[in-house]
Amino acid sequence: MDLSKIAVSINKAINTQEVAVKEKHARTCILGTHHEKGAHTFWAAINRLPLSSNAVLCWKFCHVFHKLLRDGHPNVIKDSMRNKADLTDMSRMWGHLSEGYGKLCSIYLKLLITKMEFHIKNPRFPGNLQMSNRQLDEAGENDVNNFFQLTVEMFDYLECELNLFLSVFSSLDMSRSVSVTAAGQCRLAPLIQVILDSSHLYDYTVKLLFKLHSCLPADTLQGHRDRFQEQFKKLKSLFYRSSNLQYFKRLIQIPQLPENPPNFLRASALSEHISPVVVIPAESSSPESEHMVETDDLVDTDVPSLPVAVETKFDDLFGTSAAIDPFNFNSQNGMRKDDKDRLIEQLTREIQALKDELESFRVESGRLCQVLRGRVSELEAELAEQSHLRLQALGECEFLKAELDDLRRVREDTEKEQRSLTEIERKAQANEQRYTKLKEKYTELVQSHADLLRKNAEVTRQMTVAQTAQDEVDVVRKEMQEKVKAAQESADIQERDQLEQLQELQRELVSSRTELDSLKTTMVSSQQASGEVLSTQLTALQSEKAELVQSLSKVEVELAAQGEELERITSSLATERESGVKTAETLQNQLNEKETREQALESQLVAARWSSLQGAVEEAEKIIQDSLAQIHDPAHISCTSSADYLASRCQASLGCMDRLHSASEAFTADDTDVSELLRVVTQCGHLVGDTIVQGSATSHMVPVEQADALSQSVKACGAEALALLGQMKQRDSLAAADNSRLKAALEAILATAEKLRPRGLELQQGELGDLVEQEMSSTSAAVESAAARIEEMLNKSRAVDTGIKMEVNERILASCTELMQAIKELVVSSKNLQRDIVESGRGAASMKEFYAKNSRWTEGLISASKAVGWGATVMVDAADLVVQGKGKFEELMVCSHEIAASTAQLVAASKVKADKDSTNLHRLQHASRGVTQATAAVVASTKSGKSQIEEKDTMDFSSMTLTQIKRQEMDAQVLVLELETRLQKERERLGELRKKHYELAGVAEGWGEVEEGTG
């Protein structure tokens, strides 16, 4: 088949007209891929089309490309993967549009990319997805993991198909018959390919899910079933809507899915499954008519047709042959010879002009050909560059694959560690639940005690209020008595005054009457002589008498009013006296009731305290009984522990015994405070139970005789603990409870643990404390020496080097100096923190005894200090060689990383026994972050210096031929493969070295025993 015909068919199939792609053009493109066994011609033609500027053009390209992926040559998928990045960018670009063909193109391109990726990952699946059941089984390689992953990929593939289906239907106006319009058919035509793919994906998904349910539990596949249910509903709805469209009825027969999805929980339901079959009716047109190419459309319109132009000019000069024929001699008989000569000359000039024009056309076409050849050369150079970049990308891809394999191995190791950590957390959670139950009971007791105290305070407050009221009544009673007494006295005084005034008035009346009698006598005697004077005096006396009578009546009224006031005050005092007596009686009754309630509450409080104590004792008994039961549990045989940890548990239990004795004596002397005894009983039960479990676990690691002795000691300890708690449950025997036998049992376990504890590898335990101080001092000295050497190298470099080398050396040595300062601060902080740890943890013991007691921790501290000092010395040596130009920058970077790891080990060893709220611990962590930052600065300055000093060869390929470039490209590929092989071997060697280092460090510092103790 001619490639030009294929290109013409591609251009005819993919155009800007909003009509469906013609089947004959698409079939020609498909036959072209089988003819050339690939899609090179197709992509060469597509790359010249403006797909990013016309949405309809891009939509029809997606349709044709989908057909090629399904029915074209198998190499079409491989050839198209080279353009995956362009398709992704185009999909992202069209995705910015929210309507029209733009959004549809974005979704369609995502579907095509997903289809290509699916077939690349699963090469057994052909482009049209037609496979038999045997081929489907072979695709999973009989591995349930492969079937599980394949089902997920098919779900994703079908999800993209459904998204395109829904987007196309949502973009159409279903209220009109859009399937009969050209624009509607343009959008609906690609859905035929979607229906074909979806039917196969649905069928394979059902079969794979039945296979997975036969191998895996149903709960594991719950997510698969939910996703299948959702996609089943969408696909069923879309098939039903599509089958009702007039456009699809004549092109494809769409199957209908069953009413309900398959029941994967019933294996026999697979026999009821019917694979959906899509039928495409045979077309009425013959294959010959479809494969024919119209000759009119194949005319090359780029080259101008010169004979046509010449013929046109000839007709313009002489007219058409029908009108004037120059060779018609019958019509030229009348012409003169001169006319013929002029005509010949004119024709000659015209011919010469046409020749000149033809020559100019040839020159122009030659120039255009030269320009096109130059453009072709540029494109070939660009193609070569793209090929080189592709090779680089392949190399990077291989490197990333290797890194991915490493990461997967690391992830597997992390998952194993995570599982072990989960088991430890489960055990810790069980212990935490026990502690939580005890804490809840204790909280309830504290709450009830607080309620009783609040009730007691309330009663006390009521008594205080009653007493205050009684005092106020007494005060009011005294005040009223004083007021009554004062009122009586004032009334007596007023009465006396009024009696005196009355007597005075009576005396004045008697005197007035006497005077009146005398005046009457005088008047009679002198009536005649002084009648007028007497009448005057008589009138005055009568008026004075009237005034005296009036004043007397007023005094009598006042006396009556004062008498009434006195009676009222007397009656009110009697009433108040009676109410005061009643109030006093009421308050006395309330006081008696309060005393009765206090006695009842006190008895309840005593009962609650005793019940809470009994509950704590019973809970402690349950803990110890559970610990004794674990000893006989077969699952406990796999548990191991260390003698160090057992000794620490025994010491904690012995300390708790002393507290238990003190708290018991305190409760016997004063039974009002039971909180301390509750806490001690609970803690003792937990510690003794833990000692029993750890003792049994330790016996699994020692010789048989020692194991039997330790087991007997542990069981005796449990029996003594239960006996002691049984005595504490009775009121009578609580005071006589003796924990000496339990302490003896614990001391026996402690003595056995001390015998089983491992000794130092090369030193006695008494020398560990001195060795810690020596190692920390030597580490500080090594850091000081390294800082001094760096300062000396810096001064020497400033005196000798110049230019870029001096700048690089100064920057590297300055960063190394900062790192030494940070390490120095870290060592000082570590010393201070260790001093705090020793002071807080040794108690009455000496510092050496504390280090000997915690020998594992001490040995780890010594190892970390040695590593820091050694790392500082090695880094200074590497920096010296780099400054002299004899060393490698990589060595300096590796030394920096090693120092960071050593300081991290020192921080971890220092903070193991530290209090999380310690100030020195925060300072140590801050210093550790400073070391990390300084290490990063050293690495950054080293990389920067390396990039400045090393010479970079400029890549000039302008003078090379194609053969030379190809030769160098092959040499570069060989070198890359050699370096990758060497890199892989060195990484494997580094892994083996790290494993060996870890094993040696574990043997030297007892990591294995610590891990067994924690297990």
Side-chain angles (χ1 to χ4, degrees):
M1 181 179 290
D2 192 1
L3 296 180
S4 61
K5 293 182 179 180
I6 299 175
V8 171
S9 298
I10 293 173
N11 292 328
K12 286 188 176 183
I14 304 173
N15 52 45
T16 58
Q17 297 179 3
E18 193 175 1
V19 295
V21 177
K22 290 186 178 181
E23 190 64 24
K24 62 179 181 179
H25 300 319
R27 186 173 291 113
T28 302
C29 298
I30 294 171
L31 294 175
T33 60
H34 287 281
H35 175 72
E36 67 173 348
K37 295 181 173 54
H40 300 288
T41 303
F42 174 75
W43 283 108
I46 292 301
N47 290 333
R48 292 194 296 267
L49 297 177
L51 300 179
S52 300
S53 60
N54 193 302
V56 177
L57 193 68
C58 183
W59 176 255
K60 299 180 77 171
F61 154 73
C62 294
H63 185 191
V64 176
F65 184 37
H66 198 172
K67 281 179 170 289
L68 294 183
L69 292 177
R70 279 188 50 81
D71 302 323
H73 194 272
N75 291 335
V76 172
I77 299 175
K78 298 179 182 179
D79 296 340
S80 301
M81 283 299 293
R82 303 169 185 171
N83 300 275
K84 176 184 173 183
D86 297 335
L87 297 178
T88 304
D89 296 338
M90 194 183 306
S91 173
R92 190 181 301 110
M93 186 271 294
W94 285 117
H96 294 298
L97 300 180
S98 60
E99 57 184 4
Y101 279 97
K103 181 179 179 181
L104 297 178
C105 290
S106 176
I107 298 174
Y108 207 170
L109 288 170
K110 291 180 182 178
L111 168 60
L112 297 176
I113 294 171
T114 303
K115 182 177 179 65
M116 289 191 296
E117 292 176 347
F118 177 80
H119 289 290
I120 291 296
K121 291 181 181 178
N122 304 281
R124 295 177 183 268
F125 283 81
N128 56 9
L129 296 175
Q130 293 181 1
M131 295 180 68
S132 62
N133 293 334
R134 182 180 59 82
Q135 292 173 337
L136 184 62
D137 293 337
E138 292 176 355
E141 300 177 355
N142 293 325
D143 188 354
V144 67
N145 296 320
N146 294 339
F147 284 122
F148 190 96
Q149 182 64 27
L150 182 61
T151 306
V152 174
E153 293 174 358
M154 284 190 176
F155 278 143
D156 297 336
Y157 190 179
L158 185 57
E159 188 72 26
C160 294
E161 302 275 2
L162 296 175
N163 289 338
L164 180 61
F165 227 133
L166 292 172
S167 301
V168 171
F169 274 104
S170 61
S171 66
L172 296 174
D173 186 5
M174 290 302 180
S175 61
R176 298 182 294 110
S177 299
V178 294
S179 63
V180 298
T181 62
Q185 293 177 0
C186 182
R187 298 192 182 194
L188 292 173
L191 295 185
I192 297 177
Q193 312 301 318
V194 175
I195 293 171
L196 292 171
D197 287 344
S198 300
S199 62
H200 291 299
L201 290 175
Y202 166 77
D203 184 27
Y204 300 154
T205 304
V206 172
K207 294 177 180 177
L208 290 177
L209 284 177
F210 274 111
K211 185 178 292 295
L212 288 175
H213 278 79
S214 64
C215 301
L216 297 176
D219 295 339
T220 306
L221 300 172
Q222 182 62 42
H224 281 51
R225 289 197 300 273
D226 295 341
R227 194 171 183 185
F228 176 83
Q229 296 278 352
E230 181 182 357
Q231 292 185 352
F232 174 83
K233 294 178 183 178
K234 292 182 181 178
L235 187 62
K236 180 181 178 182
S237 174
L238 293 173
F239 275 8
Y240 176 77
R241 295 173 63 182
S242 302
S243 60
N244 294 329
L245 293 179
Q246 187 66 29
Y247 176 70
F248 289 120
K249 289 183 178 180
R250 63 183 181 84
L251 296 177
I252 188 171
Q253 183 178 345
I254 302 174
Q256 295 300 321
L257 299 183
E259 185 67 23
N260 296 316
N263 185 7
F264 300 108
L265 302 179
R266 186 167 56 88
S268 60
L270 178 61
S271 60
E272 302 173 3
H273 170 66
I274 300 175
S275 300
V277 179
V278 180
V279 179
I280 300 179
E283 298 181 3
S284 58
S285 58
S286 61
E288 290 78 12
S289 63
E290 292 176 354
H291 298 334
M292 288 176 59
V293 181
E294 297 176 3
T295 56
D296 295 340
D297 296 331
L298 295 177
V299 175
D300 189 2
T301 57
D302 295 335
V303 182
S305 181
L306 293 178
V308 177
V310 175
E311 183 179 356
T312 304
K313 289 182 175 293
F314 188 86
D315 292 339
D316 292 339
L317 290 173
F318 303 103
T320 61
S321 58
I324 302 174
D325 188 359
F327 298 99
N328 187 359
F329 297 100
N330 295 325
S331 59
Q332 293 179 1
N333 292 330
M335 296 182 63
R336 293 186 299 273
K337 187 175 180 56
D338 295 337
D339 295 334
K340 292 180 180 180
D341 292 338
R342 284 196 302 275
L343 183 57
I344 292 171
E345 291 176 358
Q346 184 177 359
L347 291 173
T348 304
R349 288 193 299 269
E350 291 293 337
I351 291 171
Q352 187 62 36
L354 291 174
K355 288 181 179 181
D356 294 340
E357 187 176 359
L358 179 61
E359 184 65 24
S360 64
F361 282 153
R362 289 177 180 174
V363 172
E364 183 66 20
S365 62
R367 186 183 64 80
L368 292 176
C369 290
Q370 188 66 26
V371 172
L372 291 176
R373 289 192 188 96
R375 180 58 180 166
V376 169
S377 300
E378 292 178 359
L379 293 176
E380 289 177 350
E382 185 177 355
L383 179 61
E385 183 179 359
Q386 293 294 332
S387 301
H388 178 66
L389 293 177
R390 181 178 63 82
L391 294 175
Q392 288 183 351
L394 291 175
E396 292 178 357
C397 181
E398 294 295 332
F399 176 73
L400 291 176
K401 286 181 179 178
E403 291 290 337
L404 182 60
D405 294 337
D406 296 338
L407 290 176
R408 286 176 178 171
R409 288 194 294 269
V410 171
R411 185 183 66 180
E412 292 176 357
D413 297 339
T414 305
E415 289 177 352
K416 293 180 181 178
E417 296 176 357
Q418 186 67 27
R419 286 194 293 270
S420 62
L421 180 60
T422 303
E423 183 66 21
I424 296 173
E425 288 179 351
R426 185 183 63 78
K427 295 181 179 179
Q429 187 176 4
N431 294 331
E432 184 68 21
Q433 289 177 355
R434 296 177 184 173
Y435 174 73
T436 303
K437 292 179 181 178
L438 294 175
K439 186 176 180 181
E440 289 176 355
K441 290 186 177 180
Y442 173 70
T443 304
E444 292 176 358
L445 294 175
V446 172
Q447 184 66 29
S448 63
H449 184 220
D451 294 339
L452 293 175
L453 291 177
R454 283 195 294 270
K455 291 179 181 178
N456 188 14
E458 181 67 22
V459 172
T460 304
R461 186 181 62 79
Q462 291 179 359
M463 288 182 61
T464 304
V465 172
Q467 187 65 32
T468 304
Q470 181 66 30
D471 295 339
E472 291 178 354
V473 169
D474 294 337
V475 172
V476 171
R477 184 186 301 168
K478 290 179 181 179
E479 290 179 355
M480 293 302 296
Q481 290 175 357
E482 292 176 356
K483 288 181 179 180
V484 169
K485 193 178 292 183
Q488 288 178 352
E489 291 177 356
S490 61
D492 294 339
I493 294 171
Q494 289 180 359
E495 185 176 1
R496 286 195 299 269
D497 292 340
Q498 290 175 359
L499 289 174
E500 290 177 356
Q501 291 178 2
L502 182 60
Q503 291 175 1
E504 183 68 26
L505 291 174
Q506 287 178 354
R507 285 193 298 270
E508 290 179 358
L509 181 59
V510 171
S511 63
S512 298
R513 287 177 179 177
T514 305
E515 290 178 357
L516 181 60
D517 291 339
S518 63
L519 288 175
K520 285 182 178 180
T521 305
T522 305
M523 181 184 64
V524 171
S525 62
S526 60
Q527 183 175 8
Q528 296 178 355
S530 57
E532 296 179 358
V533 176
L534 289 173
S535 61
T536 305
Q537 292 178 352
L538 182 60
T539 305
L541 290 172
Q542 289 178 349
S543 61
E544 186 177 357
K545 179 182 179 181
E547 291 176 358
L548 290 173
V549 172
Q550 186 178 0
S551 63
L552 181 60
S553 62
K554 290 181 180 179
V555 170
E556 291 177 353
V557 171
E558 290 178 358
L559 287 175
Q562 289 179 357
E564 293 175 357
E565 181 68 21
L566 181 61
E567 291 177 357
R568 187 179 62 79
I569 291 173
T570 304
S571 62
S572 64
L573 285 175
T575 305
E576 289 177 357
R577 187 179 296 110
E578 292 176 357
S579 62
V581 171
K582 293 180 179 179
T583 304
E585 292 176 354
T586 304
L587 293 176
Q588 186 64 33
N589 294 332
Q590 291 180 354
L591 183 59
N592 295 333
E593 292 177 358
K594 175 180 176 297
E595 292 176 352
T596 305
R597 285 198 301 270
E598 284 182 351
Q599 293 176 359
L601 291 174
E602 185 66 24
S603 61
Q604 291 178 2
L605 181 60
V606 172
R609 290 170 184 163
W610 181 251
S611 62
S612 62
L613 178 59
Q614 284 186 330
V617 172
E618 291 176 356
E619 192 64 28
E621 284 183 341
K622 291 180 181 178
I623 293 175
I624 295 174
Q625 290 172 358
D626 181 66
S627 300
L628 292 174
Q630 288 186 19
I631 296 176
H632 304 288
D633 189 357
H636 184 66
I637 297 176
S638 61
C639 296
T640 58
S641 182
S642 65
D644 288 335
Y645 187 68
L646 177 59
S648 64
R649 293 291 87 192
C650 290
Q651 292 171 356
S653 300
L654 288 172
C656 190
M657 288 296 104
D658 297 334
R659 290 180 56 200
L660 178 62
H661 182 68
S662 302
S664 179
E665 290 181 351
F667 180 74
T668 304
D670 182 13
D671 59 353
T672 58
D673 186 11
V674 75
S675 58
E676 180 64 21
L677 184 57
L678 288 174
R679 287 194 292 269
V680 175
V681 168
T682 305
Q683 187 177 8
C684 285
H686 174 69
L687 291 176
V688 173
D690 194 13
T691 302
I692 293 171
V693 173
Q694 297 301 328
S696 177
T698 306
S699 67
H700 298 157
M701 297 179 60
V702 299
V704 178
E705 296 179 356
Q706 296 177 346
D708 293 339
L710 183 57
S711 298
Q712 293 299 326
S713 300
V714 166
K715 293 178 182 178
C717 178
E720 293 297 335
L722 292 176
L724 177 61
L725 293 174
Q727 292 178 354
M728 295 183 67
K729 289 174 67 176
Q730 303 296 329
R731 284 181 180 268
D732 300 334
S733 60
L734 177 61
D738 186 12
N739 60 358
S740 59
R741 299 180 64 180
L742 179 57
K743 289 178 65 175
L746 289 172
E747 289 173 354
I749 297 175
L750 178 60
T752 305
E754 291 292 340
K755 293 179 183 179
L756 296 176
R757 290 177 67 178
R759 306 301 177 186
L761 295 177
E762 298 176 357
L763 299 170
Q764 298 298 325
Q765 289 184 354
E767 301 175 5
L768 287 176
D770 297 333
L771 185 59
V772 171
E773 296 296 332
Q774 292 175 6
E775 287 299 333
M776 295 302 294
S777 300
S778 62
T779 301
S780 301
V783 174
E784 292 286 349
S785 176
R789 285 186 60 190
I790 290 174
E791 186 66 26
E792 181 182 352
M793 286 188 287
L794 183 60
N795 294 331
K796 188 183 296 184
S797 175
R798 289 174 178 170
V800 177
D801 299 327
T802 58
I804 296 178
K805 186 175 182 182
M806 183 182 69
E807 179 183 353
V808 170
N809 291 340
E810 284 185 353
R811 188 161 57 246
I812 294 175
L813 293 176
S815 60
C816 291
T817 303
E818 293 178 358
L819 178 58
M820 290 299 110
Q821 293 295 331
I823 295 174
K824 189 187 301 180
E825 294 180 3
L826 180 71
V827 173
V828 173
S829 301
S830 178
K831 285 183 178 180
N832 296 332
L833 181 60
Q834 293 164 26
R835 190 177 299 110
D836 290 346
I837 294 171
V838 173
E839 291 296 332
S840 62
R842 65 188 178 94
S846 63
M847 183 179 297
K848 293 183 179 180
E849 292 175 352
F850 177 81
Y851 282 126
K853 179 182 176 182
N854 301 275
S855 59
R856 293 303 179 196
W857 174 71
T858 305
E859 290 170 0
L861 198 62
I862 292 171
S863 175
S865 302
K866 287 182 180 180
V868 172
W870 176 81
T873 305
V874 173
M875 194 196 74
V876 172
D877 295 337
D880 190 8
L881 294 176
V882 169
V883 171
Q884 294 177 7
K886 301 178 181 179
K888 297 180 180 180
F889 289 93
E890 289 78 5
E891 293 180 359
L892 188 56
M893 288 188 284
V894 171
C895 291
S896 301
H897 289 301
E898 187 64 28
I899 286 179
S902 301
T903 53
Q905 181 184 357
L906 179 59
V907 171
S910 300
K911 66 187 286 190
V912 166
K913 292 185 176 295
D915 185 8
K916 64 179 181 179
D917 297 328
S918 174
T919 304
N920 287 324
L921 176 59
H922 295 310
R923 292 177 181 172
L924 178 64
Q925 292 174 344
H926 179 72
S928 175
R929 287 192 289 270
V931 171
T932 304
Q933 295 176 358
T935 304
V938 171
V939 174
S941 61
T942 305
K943 289 182 178 179
S944 176
K946 180 181 178 182
S947 63
Q948 289 184 357
I949 290 179
E950 290 182 349
E951 296 181 358
K952 295 184 177 180
D953 297 333
T954 57
M955 298 181 182
D956 186 10
F957 304 123
S958 59
S959 60
M960 292 184 180
T961 62
L962 178 61
T963 305
Q964 292 175 343
I965 290 176
K966 187 65 178 178
R967 178 63 182 175
Q968 288 197 6
E969 181 181 352
M970 294 176 63
D971 294 340
Q973 290 179 354
V974 171
L975 181 59
V976 167
L977 294 176
E978 291 176 353
L979 292 176
E980 287 178 351
T981 305
R982 184 179 175 187
L983 177 62
Q984 184 65 27
K985 291 181 179 179
E986 290 297 328
R987 282 182 175 163
E988 294 176 356
R989 182 169 175 269
L990 177 61
E992 294 297 329
L993 289 174
R994 286 178 176 173
K995 290 180 181 178
K996 191 63 178 177
H997 176 265
Y998 184 79
E999 292 175 359
L1000 294 176
V1003 172
E1005 300 180 13
W1007 294 350
E1009 296 182 2
V1010 175
E1011 292 175 356
E1012 291 173 356
T1014 57

